[in-house]
Coordinates of all heavy atoms in Angstrom, one line a residue:
M82 N -57.2 105.4 -1.4 CA -58.3 106.2 -1.0 C -59.5 106.0 -2.0 O -60.6 106.0 -1.6 CB -57.8 107.7 -1.0 CG -58.9 108.7 -0.6 SD -59.4 108.3 1.1 CE -60.8 109.3 1.3
A83 N -59.1 105.9 -3.3 CA -60.2 105.7 -4.3 C -60.9 104.4 -4.0 O -62.1 104.3 -4.2 CB -59.6 105.8 -5.7
S84 N -60.1 103.4 -3.6 CA -60.7 102.1 -3.3 C -61.7 102.2 -2.2 O -62.8 101.5 -2.3 CB -59.6 101.1 -2.9 OG -58.7 100.9 -4.0
V85 N -61.4 102.9 -1.2 CA -62.3 103.1 0.0 C -63.6 103.8 -0.5 O -64.7 103.4 -0.1 CB -61.7 103.9 1.1 CG1 -62.7 104.2 2.2 CG2 -60.5 103.1 1.6
V86 N -63.5 104.8 -1.3 CA -64.7 105.5 -1.8 C -65.5 104.6 -2.7 O -66.8 104.5 -2.6 CB -64.2 106.8 -2.6 CG1 -65.4 107.4 -3.3 CG2 -63.6 107.8 -1.7
C87 N -64.9 103.8 -3.5 CA -65.6 102.8 -4.4 C -66.3 101.8 -3.6 O -67.5 101.5 -3.8 CB -64.7 102.2 -5.4 SG -64.1 103.3 -6.7
I88 N -65.7 101.2 -2.6 CA -66.3 100.2 -1.7 C -67.4 100.8 -0.9 O -68.5 100.2 -0.8 CB -65.3 99.5 -0.8 CG1 -64.3 98.7 -1.7 CG2 -65.9 98.7 0.2 CD1 -63.1 98.1 -0.9
G89 N -67.3 102.1 -0.5 CA -68.4 102.8 0.2 C -69.6 103.0 -0.7 O -70.7 102.8 -0.3
G90 N -69.3 103.3 -2.0 CA -70.4 103.5 -2.9 C -71.1 102.2 -3.2 O -72.3 102.1 -3.3
I91 N -70.3 101.1 -3.3 CA -71.0 99.8 -3.5 C -71.8 99.4 -2.3 O -72.9 98.9 -2.4 CB -69.9 98.7 -3.8 CG1 -69.2 99.0 -5.1 CG2 -70.5 97.3 -3.8 CD1 -68.0 98.1 -5.4
G92 N -71.3 99.7 -1.1 CA -72.0 99.4 0.1 C -73.4 100.2 0.1 O -74.4 99.6 0.5
L93 N -73.4 101.5 -0.3 CA -74.6 102.3 -0.2 C -75.6 101.7 -1.3 O -76.8 101.7 -1.0 CB -74.3 103.7 -0.5 CG -73.5 104.5 0.6 CD1 -73.2 105.9 0.2 CD2 -74.4 104.5 1.9
V94 N -75.1 101.3 -2.4 CA -76.0 100.7 -3.4 C -76.6 99.4 -3.0 O -77.7 99.1 -3.3 CB -75.2 100.6 -4.8 CG1 -76.0 99.8 -5.8 CG2 -74.9 102.0 -5.3
S95 N -75.8 98.7 -2.2 CA -76.2 97.3 -1.8 C -77.2 97.3 -0.6 O -77.9 96.3 -0.4 CB -75.0 96.5 -1.3 OG -74.1 96.4 -2.4
L96 N -77.3 98.4 0.1 CA -78.2 98.4 1.3 C -79.7 98.4 0.8 O -80.0 99.1 -0.1 CB -78.0 99.7 2.1 CG -76.7 99.7 3.0 CD1 -76.5 101.0 3.6 CD2 -76.7 98.6 4.0
G97 N -80.5 97.6 1.5 CA -81.9 97.6 1.2 C -82.6 98.8 1.9 O -82.0 99.6 2.6
S98 N -83.9 98.9 1.7 CA -84.6 100.0 2.3 C -84.6 100.0 3.8 O -84.8 101.0 4.4 CB -86.1 100.1 1.7 OG -86.7 98.8 2.1
D99 N -84.5 98.8 4.3 CA -84.4 98.7 5.8 C -83.0 98.6 6.3 O -82.8 98.1 7.4 CB -85.3 97.5 6.3 CG -84.8 96.2 5.6 OD1 -84.0 96.3 4.6 OD2 -85.3 95.1 6.0
F100 N -82.0 99.0 5.5 CA -80.6 99.1 5.9 C -80.0 97.7 6.2 O -79.2 97.5 7.1 CB -80.3 100.0 7.0 CG -80.6 101.5 6.7 CD1 -81.7 102.1 7.1 CD2 -79.7 102.1 5.9 CE1 -81.9 103.4 6.7 CE2 -79.9 103.4 5.5 CZ -81.0 104.1 5.9
T101 N -80.5 96.7 5.5 CA -80.0 95.3 5.6 C -79.2 95.0 4.3 O -79.4 95.7 3.3 CB -81.1 94.3 5.8 OG1 -82.0 94.3 4.7 CG2 -81.8 94.5 7.1
I102 N -78.4 94.0 4.3 CA -77.6 93.6 3.2 C -77.8 92.1 3.0 O -77.8 91.3 3.9 CB -76.2 94.0 3.3 CG1 -75.4 93.9 2.1 CG2 -75.5 93.3 4.5 CD1 -74.0 94.6 2.1
G103 N -78.0 91.7 1.7 CA -78.2 90.3 1.4 C -76.8 89.6 1.3 O -75.8 90.2 1.3
I104 N -76.9 88.2 1.3 CA -75.7 87.4 1.2 C -74.9 87.7 -0.1 O -73.7 87.8 0.0 CB -76.0 85.9 1.5 CG1 -74.7 85.1 1.5 CG2 -76.8 85.4 0.3 CD1 -73.9 85.4 2.8
G105 N -75.6 87.8 -1.2 CA -74.9 88.1 -2.4 C -74.2 89.4 -2.4 O -73.1 89.6 -2.9
D106 N -74.9 90.4 -1.9 CA -74.3 91.8 -1.8 C -73.1 91.8 -0.8 O -72.1 92.4 -1.1 CB -75.3 92.8 -1.3 CG -76.4 93.0 -2.3 OD1 -76.1 92.9 -3.5 OD2 -77.5 93.3 -1.9
A107 N -73.2 91.0 0.3 CA -72.1 90.9 1.2 C -70.9 90.2 0.5 O -69.7 90.7 0.7 CB -72.5 90.2 2.4
L108 N -71.1 89.2 -0.2 CA -70.0 88.5 -1.0 C -69.4 89.4 -2.0 O -68.2 89.4 -2.2 CB -70.5 87.2 -1.6 CG -70.9 86.1 -0.6 CD1 -71.5 84.9 -1.3 CD2 -69.6 85.7 0.2
T109 N -70.2 90.3 -2.7 CA -69.7 91.2 -3.6 C -68.8 92.2 -3.0 O -67.8 92.6 -3.5 CB -70.9 91.9 -4.3 OG1 -71.7 90.9 -5.0 CG2 -70.4 92.9 -5.4
L110 N -69.3 92.8 -1.8 CA -68.4 93.7 -1.1 C -67.1 93.1 -0.6 O -66.1 93.7 -0.7 CB -69.2 94.2 0.1 CG -70.3 95.3 -0.2 CD1 -71.1 95.6 1.1 CD2 -69.6 96.6 -0.7
L111 N -67.2 91.8 -0.1 CA -66.0 91.1 0.3 C -65.0 90.9 -0.9 O -63.8 91.1 -0.7 CB -66.4 89.8 0.9 CG -65.2 89.0 1.5 CD1 -64.6 89.7 2.7 CD2 -65.7 87.6 1.9
G112 N -65.6 90.6 -2.0 CA -64.8 90.5 -3.2 C -64.1 91.8 -3.6 O -63.0 91.8 -4.0
A113 N -64.9 92.9 -3.5 CA -64.3 94.2 -3.8 C -63.2 94.5 -2.8 O -62.2 95.1 -3.3 CB -65.4 95.2 -3.7
V114 N -63.3 94.2 -1.6 CA -62.3 94.5 -0.6 C -61.0 93.7 -0.9 O -59.9 94.2 -1.0 CB -62.8 94.1 0.8 CG1 -61.6 94.1 1.8 CG2 -63.8 95.1 1.3
F115 N -61.2 92.4 -1.2 CA -60.0 91.6 -1.6 C -59.4 92.0 -2.9 O -58.1 92.0 -3.1 CB -60.4 90.1 -1.6 CG -60.4 89.5 -0.3 CD1 -61.6 89.0 0.2 CD2 -59.2 89.4 0.5 CE1 -61.6 88.4 1.5 CE2 -59.3 88.8 1.7 CZ -60.5 88.3 2.2
Y116 N -60.2 92.5 -3.9 CA -59.6 93.0 -5.1 C -58.8 94.3 -4.9 O -57.8 94.5 -5.5 CB -60.7 93.2 -6.2 CG -60.2 93.4 -7.6 CD1 -59.4 92.5 -8.2 CD2 -60.4 94.7 -8.2 CE1 -58.9 92.7 -9.5 CE2 -59.9 94.9 -9.4 CZ -59.2 93.9 -10.1 OH -58.7 94.2 -11.3
A117 N -59.4 95.1 -4.1 CA -58.6 96.4 -3.7 C -57.3 96.1 -3.0 O -56.3 96.7 -3.3 CB -59.5 97.3 -2.8
L118 N -57.3 95.1 -2.1 CA -56.1 94.7 -1.4 C -55.1 94.1 -2.4 O -53.9 94.3 -2.3 CB -56.4 93.7 -0.3 CG -57.1 94.2 0.9 CD1 -57.5 93.1 1.9 CD2 -56.2 95.2 1.6
H119 N -55.6 93.4 -3.4 CA -54.8 92.8 -4.4 C -54.1 93.9 -5.2 O -52.9 93.8 -5.4 CB -55.6 91.9 -5.4 CG -54.9 91.4 -6.6 ND1 -55.0 92.0 -7.8 CD2 -54.0 90.4 -6.7 CE1 -54.2 91.4 -8.6 NE2 -53.6 90.4 -8.0
I120 N -54.8 94.9 -5.6 CA -54.2 96.0 -6.4 C -53.2 96.7 -5.5 O -52.1 97.0 -6.0 CB -55.3 97.0 -6.8 CG1 -56.2 96.3 -7.8 CG2 -54.7 98.3 -7.4 CD1 -57.5 97.1 -8.2
V121 N -53.4 97.0 -4.3 CA -52.5 97.7 -3.4 C -51.2 96.8 -3.2 O -50.1 97.3 -3.3 CB -53.1 98.0 -2.0 CG1 -52.1 98.5 -1.0 CG2 -54.2 99.0 -2.2
C122 N -51.4 95.5 -3.0 CA -50.2 94.6 -2.7 C -49.4 94.5 -4.0 O -48.2 94.6 -3.9 CB -50.7 93.3 -2.3 SG -51.3 93.3 -0.6
V123 N -50.0 94.4 -5.1 CA -49.3 94.3 -6.4 C -48.5 95.6 -6.6 O -47.3 95.6 -7.0 CB -50.2 94.0 -7.6 CG1 -49.5 94.2 -8.9 CG2 -50.7 92.5 -7.5
S124 N -49.1 96.7 -6.4 CA -48.5 98.0 -6.6 C -47.3 98.2 -5.6 O -46.2 98.7 -6.0 CB -49.5 99.1 -6.3 OG -48.8 100.4 -6.4
K125 N -47.4 97.7 -4.4 CA -46.4 97.9 -3.4 C -45.2 96.9 -3.6 O -44.1 97.3 -3.5 CB -47.0 97.7 -2.0 CG -46.0 97.9 -0.9 CD -46.6 97.9 0.5 CE -45.5 98.1 1.5 NZ -46.1 98.1 2.9
F126 N -45.5 95.6 -3.8 CA -44.5 94.6 -3.8 C -43.9 94.3 -5.2 O -43.0 93.4 -5.3 CB -45.0 93.3 -3.2 CG -45.4 93.5 -1.7 CD1 -46.7 93.4 -1.3 CD2 -44.4 93.8 -0.8 CE1 -47.0 93.6 0.0 CE2 -44.7 94.0 0.5 CZ -46.0 93.9 0.9
S127 N -44.4 94.9 -6.3 CA -43.9 94.6 -7.6 C -43.1 95.7 -8.2 O -42.9 95.7 -9.4 CB -45.1 94.2 -8.5 OG -45.9 95.3 -8.7
Q128 N -42.6 96.6 -7.4 CA -41.8 97.7 -8.0 C -40.5 97.0 -8.6 O -39.9 96.2 -8.1 CB -41.4 98.6 -6.8 CG -42.5 99.3 -6.2 CD -43.2 100.3 -7.1 OE1 -42.6 100.9 -8.0 NE2 -44.5 100.4 -6.9
E129 N -40.2 97.5 -9.8 CA -39.0 97.1 -10.6 C -39.0 95.6 -10.8 O -37.9 95.0 -10.9 CB -37.8 97.6 -9.9 CG -37.7 99.1 -9.7 CD -36.5 99.5 -9.0 OE1 -35.5 98.7 -8.8 OE2 -36.4 100.7 -8.6
R130 N -40.1 95.0 -11.0 CA -40.2 93.6 -11.3 C -40.8 93.4 -12.7 O -41.5 94.4 -13.2 CB -41.1 92.8 -10.3 CG -40.6 92.9 -8.9 CD -40.3 91.5 -8.3 NE -40.1 91.3 -6.9 CZ -39.4 91.9 -6.1 NH1 -38.7 92.9 -6.5 NH2 -39.2 91.5 -4.9
D131 N -40.7 92.3 -13.3 CA -41.2 92.1 -14.7 C -42.7 91.8 -14.6 O -43.2 90.8 -14.0 CB -40.5 90.8 -15.3 CG -41.0 90.6 -16.7 OD1 -41.6 91.5 -17.3 OD2 -40.6 89.5 -17.2
I132 N -43.5 92.8 -15.1 CA -44.9 92.8 -15.0 C -45.5 91.6 -15.8 O -46.5 91.0 -15.4 CB -45.6 94.1 -15.4 CG1 -47.0 94.2 -14.9 CG2 -45.5 94.4 -16.8 CD1 -47.2 94.2 -13.4
F133 N -44.9 91.3 -16.9 CA -45.4 90.2 -17.7 C -45.2 88.8 -17.0 O -46.1 88.0 -17.0 CB -44.7 90.1 -19.1 CG -45.0 91.3 -19.9 CD1 -44.1 92.3 -20.1 CD2 -46.3 91.4 -20.5 CE1 -44.4 93.4 -20.9 CE2 -46.6 92.5 -21.3 CZ -45.7 93.5 -21.5
L134 N -44.1 88.6 -16.3 CA -43.9 87.4 -15.5 C -44.9 87.4 -14.4 O -45.4 86.3 -14.1 CB -42.4 87.4 -15.0 CG -42.1 86.2 -14.1 CD1 -42.2 84.9 -14.9 CD2 -40.7 86.3 -13.6
L135 N -45.1 88.5 -13.7 CA -46.0 88.5 -12.6 C -47.4 88.2 -13.1 O -48.1 87.4 -12.4 CB -46.0 89.9 -11.9 CG -46.9 90.1 -10.8 CD1 -46.5 89.2 -9.6 CD2 -46.9 91.5 -10.3
T136 N -47.8 88.7 -14.2 CA -49.2 88.4 -14.7 C -49.3 87.0 -15.1 O -50.3 86.3 -14.8 CB -49.4 89.3 -16.0 OG1 -49.4 90.7 -15.6 CG2 -50.8 89.0 -16.6
T137 N -48.2 86.4 -15.7 CA -48.3 85.0 -16.1 C -48.4 84.1 -14.9 O -49.2 83.2 -14.9 CB -47.0 84.7 -16.9 OG1 -46.9 85.5 -18.0 CG2 -47.0 83.2 -17.3
I138 N -47.7 84.4 -13.8 CA -47.7 83.6 -12.6 C -49.1 83.7 -11.9 O -49.7 82.7 -11.5 CB -46.6 84.1 -11.6 CG1 -45.2 83.7 -12.1 CG2 -46.9 83.5 -10.2 CD1 -44.1 84.2 -11.4
Q139 N -49.6 84.9 -11.9 CA -51.0 85.1 -11.3 C -52.0 84.4 -12.1 O -52.9 83.7 -11.6 CB -51.3 86.6 -11.2 CG -50.6 87.4 -10.2 CD -51.0 88.8 -10.2 OE1 -51.8 89.3 -11.0 NE2 -50.4 89.6 -9.2
F140 N -51.9 84.5 -13.4 CA -52.9 83.8 -14.3 C -52.8 82.3 -14.2 O -53.8 81.6 -14.1 CB -52.7 84.3 -15.7 CG -53.7 83.7 -16.7 CD1 -55.1 84.0 -16.5 CD2 -53.3 82.9 -17.7 CE1 -56.0 83.5 -17.4 CE2 -54.3 82.4 -18.6 CZ -55.6 82.7 -18.5
A141 N -51.6 81.8 -14.2 CA -51.4 80.3 -14.1 C -51.9 79.8 -12.7 O -52.5 78.8 -12.6 CB -49.9 80.0 -14.3
S142 N -51.6 80.6 -11.7 CA -52.1 80.2 -10.3 C -53.6 80.2 -10.3 O -54.2 79.2 -9.7 CB -51.5 81.1 -9.3 OG -50.1 81.1 -9.3
A143 N -54.2 81.2 -10.8 CA -55.7 81.3 -10.7 C -56.3 80.1 -11.6 O -57.3 79.5 -11.2 CB -56.2 82.6 -11.3
A144 N -55.7 79.8 -12.7 CA -56.2 78.7 -13.6 C -56.0 77.4 -12.9 O -57.0 76.6 -12.9 CB -55.4 78.7 -14.9
A145 N -54.9 77.2 -12.2 CA -54.7 75.9 -11.6 C -55.7 75.7 -10.4 O -56.3 74.6 -10.3 CB -53.3 75.8 -11.1
I146 N -55.8 76.7 -9.6 CA -56.8 76.6 -8.5 C -58.2 76.5 -9.0 O -59.0 75.6 -8.4 CB -56.7 77.9 -7.6 CG1 -55.3 77.9 -6.9 CG2 -57.8 77.9 -6.5 CD1 -54.9 79.2 -6.2
S147 N -58.6 77.2 -10.0 CA -59.9 77.0 -10.6 C -60.2 75.7 -11.1 O -61.3 75.1 -11.0 CB -60.1 78.1 -11.7 OG -60.1 79.4 -11.1
C148 N -59.2 75.1 -11.8 CA -59.3 73.7 -12.4 C -59.5 72.7 -11.3 O -60.3 71.8 -11.4 CB -58.1 73.4 -13.2 SG -58.1 74.2 -14.8
V149 N -58.7 72.8 -10.2 CA -58.8 71.9 -9.1 C -60.3 71.9 -8.5 O -60.9 70.9 -8.3 CB -57.8 72.2 -8.0 CG1 -58.1 71.4 -6.7 CG2 -56.4 71.9 -8.5
F150 N -60.8 73.1 -8.2 CA -62.1 73.3 -7.7 C -63.2 72.8 -8.7 O -64.1 72.2 -8.3 CB -62.4 74.7 -7.2 CG -61.8 75.0 -5.8 CD1 -60.6 75.7 -5.7 CD2 -62.4 74.5 -4.7 CE1 -60.1 75.9 -4.4 CE2 -61.9 74.7 -3.4 CZ -60.7 75.4 -3.3
A151 N -63.0 73.2 -9.9 CA -64.0 72.8 -10.9 C -64.1 71.3 -11.1 O -65.2 70.7 -11.2 CB -63.7 73.5 -12.3
L152 N -62.9 70.7 -11.2 CA -62.9 69.2 -11.4 C -63.4 68.5 -10.1 O -64.0 67.4 -10.3 CB -61.5 68.7 -11.8 CG -61.1 69.2 -13.2 CD1 -59.6 68.8 -13.4 CD2 -62.0 68.6 -14.3
S153 N -63.2 69.0 -9.0 CA -63.6 68.3 -7.8 C -65.0 68.6 -7.3 O -65.7 67.8 -6.7 CB -62.7 68.6 -6.6 OG -62.7 70.0 -6.3
L154 N -65.6 69.8 -7.7 CA -66.9 70.2 -7.2 C -68.0 70.2 -8.3 O -69.2 70.2 -8.0 CB -66.8 71.5 -6.6 CG -65.9 71.7 -5.4 CD1 -65.8 73.1 -4.9 CD2 -66.4 70.7 -4.2
E155 N -67.6 70.2 -9.6 CA -68.6 70.3 -10.6 C -68.7 69.1 -11.5 O -67.7 68.4 -11.6 CB -68.3 71.5 -11.5 CG -68.4 72.9 -10.8 CD -69.8 73.2 -10.4 OE1 -70.8 72.8 -11.1 OE2 -70.0 73.9 -9.4
K156 N -69.8 68.8 -12.1 CA -70.0 67.7 -13.0 C -69.5 68.2 -14.4 O -69.8 69.3 -14.8 CB -71.4 67.3 -13.1 CG -71.7 66.2 -14.0 CD -73.2 65.8 -14.0 CE -73.5 64.7 -15.0 NZ -74.9 64.5 -15.1
F157 N -68.6 67.3 -15.0 CA -68.1 67.7 -16.3 C -69.2 67.7 -17.3 O -70.0 66.8 -17.4 CB -67.0 66.7 -16.7 CG -66.2 67.2 -17.9 CD1 -65.2 68.1 -17.6 CD2 -66.4 66.7 -19.1 CE1 -64.4 68.6 -18.7 CE2 -65.6 67.2 -20.2 CZ -64.6 68.1 -20.0
P158 N -69.2 68.8 -18.2 CA -70.3 68.9 -19.2 C -70.2 67.7 -20.2 O -69.1 67.4 -20.7 CB -70.1 70.2 -19.9 CG -68.7 70.7 -19.4 CD -68.3 69.9 -18.2
Q159 N -71.3 67.2 -20.6 CA -71.4 66.0 -21.5 C -71.2 66.5 -22.9 O -70.6 65.8 -23.7 CB -72.7 65.3 -21.3 CG -72.9 64.7 -20.0 CD -71.8 63.7 -19.6 OE1 -71.4 62.9 -20.4 NE2 -71.4 63.8 -18.4
N160 N -71.7 67.6 -23.3 CA -71.6 68.1 -24.7 C -71.0 69.5 -24.7 O -71.6 70.5 -24.4 CB -72.9 68.1 -25.4 CG -74.0 68.8 -24.6 OD1 -73.8 69.3 -23.5 ND2 -75.2 68.8 -25.2
L161 N -69.7 69.6 -25.0 CA -69.0 70.8 -25.1 C -68.8 71.2 -26.6 O -68.0 70.5 -27.3 CB -67.7 70.6 -24.4 CG -67.0 71.9 -23.8 CD1 -67.9 72.6 -22.8 CD2 -65.7 71.5 -23.1
S162 N -69.5 72.2 -27.0 CA -69.5 72.6 -28.4 C -68.2 73.4 -28.7 O -67.6 73.9 -27.8 CB -70.7 73.4 -28.8 OG -70.7 74.6 -28.2
A163 N -67.9 73.5 -30.0 CA -66.7 74.3 -30.4 C -67.0 75.8 -30.1 O -66.0 76.5 -29.7 CB -66.5 74.2 -31.9
D164 N -68.2 76.3 -30.2 CA -68.5 77.7 -29.8 C -68.2 77.9 -28.3 O -67.7 78.9 -27.9 CB -69.9 78.0 -30.1 CG -70.2 78.2 -31.6 OD1 -69.2 78.4 -32.3 OD2 -71.4 78.1 -31.9
S165 N -68.5 76.9 -27.5 CA -68.2 77.0 -26.0 C -66.7 77.1 -25.8 O -66.3 77.9 -24.9 CB -68.8 75.9 -25.3 OG -70.2 75.9 -25.4
I166 N -66.0 76.3 -26.5 CA -64.5 76.2 -26.3 C -63.9 77.6 -26.7 O -63.1 78.1 -26.1 CB -63.9 75.0 -27.0 CG1 -64.4 73.8 -26.4 CG2 -62.4 75.1 -27.1 CD1 -64.0 72.5 -27.1
W167 N -64.4 78.1 -27.9 CA -63.9 79.4 -28.3 C -64.2 80.5 -27.4 O -63.4 81.4 -27.1 CB -64.3 79.7 -29.7 CG -63.6 79.0 -30.8 CD1 -64.1 78.0 -31.6 CD2 -62.2 79.1 -31.1 NE1 -63.0 77.5 -32.4 CE2 -61.9 78.2 -32.1 CE3 -61.2 80.0 -30.7 CZ2 -60.6 78.1 -32.7 CZ3 -59.9 79.9 -31.3 CH2 -59.7 78.9 -32.3
S168 N -65.4 80.4 -26.8 CA -65.9 81.5 -25.8 C -65.0 81.4 -24.6 O -64.6 82.4 -24.1 CB -67.3 81.3 -25.5 OG -68.2 81.5 -26.6
L169 N -64.7 80.2 -24.1 CA -63.8 80.0 -23.0 C -62.4 80.5 -23.2 O -61.8 81.2 -22.4 CB -63.8 78.6 -22.5 CG -65.0 78.1 -21.8 CD1 -65.0 76.6 -21.6 CD2 -65.2 78.8 -20.5
A170 N -61.9 80.2 -24.4 CA -60.6 80.7 -24.8 C -60.5 82.2 -24.8 O -59.6 82.8 -24.4 CB -60.2 80.1 -26.2
Y171 N -61.6 82.8 -25.4 CA -61.6 84.3 -25.5 C -61.6 84.9 -24.0 O -60.9 85.8 -23.8 CB -62.9 84.7 -26.2 CG -63.1 86.2 -26.2 CD1 -62.4 87.0 -27.1 CD2 -63.9 86.8 -25.3 CE1 -62.5 88.4 -27.1 CE2 -64.1 88.2 -25.3 CZ -63.4 89.0 -26.2 OH -63.5 90.3 -26.1
L172 N -62.5 84.3 -23.2 CA -62.5 84.8 -21.8 C -61.2 84.6 -21.1 O -60.8 85.5 -20.3 CB -63.6 84.1 -21.0 CG -65.1 84.4 -21.4 CD1 -66.0 83.5 -20.7 CD2 -65.3 85.9 -21.0
C173 N -60.5 83.5 -21.3 CA -59.3 83.3 -20.6 C -58.2 84.2 -21.1 O -57.5 84.8 -20.3 CB -58.8 81.8 -20.9 SG -59.8 80.6 -20.1
V174 N -58.1 84.4 -22.4 CA -57.0 85.2 -22.9 C -57.3 86.7 -22.8 O -56.4 87.5 -22.2 CB -56.7 84.9 -24.4 CG1 -55.7 85.8 -25.0 CG2 -56.3 83.5 -24.5
F175 N -58.4 87.2 -23.2 CA -58.7 88.6 -23.3 C -59.3 89.2 -22.0 O -58.8 90.2 -21.4 CB -59.5 89.0 -24.5 CG -58.9 88.8 -25.8 CD1 -59.2 87.7 -26.6 CD2 -57.8 89.6 -26.2 CE1 -58.6 87.5 -27.8 CE2 -57.2 89.3 -27.4 CZ -57.6 88.3 -28.2
A176 N -60.3 88.5 -21.5 CA -61.0 89.1 -20.3 C -60.3 88.8 -19.0 O -60.5 89.5 -18.1 CB -62.4 88.4 -20.3
T177 N -59.4 87.8 -19.0 CA -58.7 87.5 -17.8 C -57.3 88.0 -17.9 O -56.8 88.9 -17.2 CB -58.8 86.0 -17.4 OG1 -60.2 85.7 -17.3 CG2 -58.2 85.7 -16.1
A178 N -56.5 87.3 -18.7 CA -55.1 87.6 -18.8 C -54.8 89.0 -19.3 O -54.0 89.8 -18.8 CB -54.4 86.6 -19.8
G179 N -55.6 89.5 -20.4 CA -55.4 90.8 -20.9 C -55.8 91.9 -19.9 O -55.1 92.9 -19.7
A180 N -56.9 91.7 -19.2 CA -57.4 92.6 -18.2 C -56.4 92.7 -17.1 O -56.1 93.8 -16.6 CB -58.8 92.3 -17.8
L181 N -55.9 91.6 -16.6 CA -55.0 91.6 -15.5 C -53.7 92.3 -15.9 O -53.1 93.0 -15.1 CB -54.7 90.1 -15.0 CG -54.0 90.0 -13.7 CD1 -54.7 90.6 -12.6 CD2 -53.7 88.5 -13.5
L182 N -53.2 92.1 -17.1 CA -52.0 92.7 -17.6 C -52.2 94.2 -17.7 O -51.3 95.0 -17.3 CB -51.6 92.1 -18.9 CG -50.3 92.7 -19.6 CD1 -49.1 92.4 -18.7 CD2 -50.1 92.0 -20.9
M183 N -53.3 94.7 -18.2 CA -53.6 96.1 -18.3 C -53.7 96.8 -17.0 O -53.5 98.0 -16.9 CB -54.8 96.3 -19.2 CG -54.7 95.9 -20.6 SD -53.3 96.8 -21.4 CE -53.0 95.8 -22.8
Q184 N -54.1 96.0 -16.0 CA -54.3 96.6 -14.7 C -53.0 97.1 -14.2 O -52.8 98.1 -13.5 CB -54.9 95.6 -13.7 CG -54.9 96.0 -12.3 CD -54.9 94.7 -11.4 OE1 -55.3 93.7 -11.8 NE2 -54.3 94.9 -10.2

C-alpha cells in the first residue's frame, strides 16, 4: 500500500501544469513501479532464505548485465584516473551492494 501511495505522489509531482508528463518523468515512474515490484517479490519469495546469498546473486547479476550493455553500447574511457576507480568501487560496494543488503 505504501508503494502505491509513493508512486501516486511521484506521479503528482511529475505532472506538468497542463497535466502532461515528459518522457523522463514517465521513465522515472516506470522505474519506481518495477522497484516496488522488486521489493514485493523479494519479500514474498525469499522467506527463510539466506539474505546475504540473495543479495550477492542480485548484485552479481546486475553487474554482469551492466557490463555487457556498457561494453557493447558505450565507448571505453581513454583516461581512467585512480580517483574515478575509487569512486566506482565506493558506489559498487556501499551505494549498491550495501543499500541492497539493508533493504
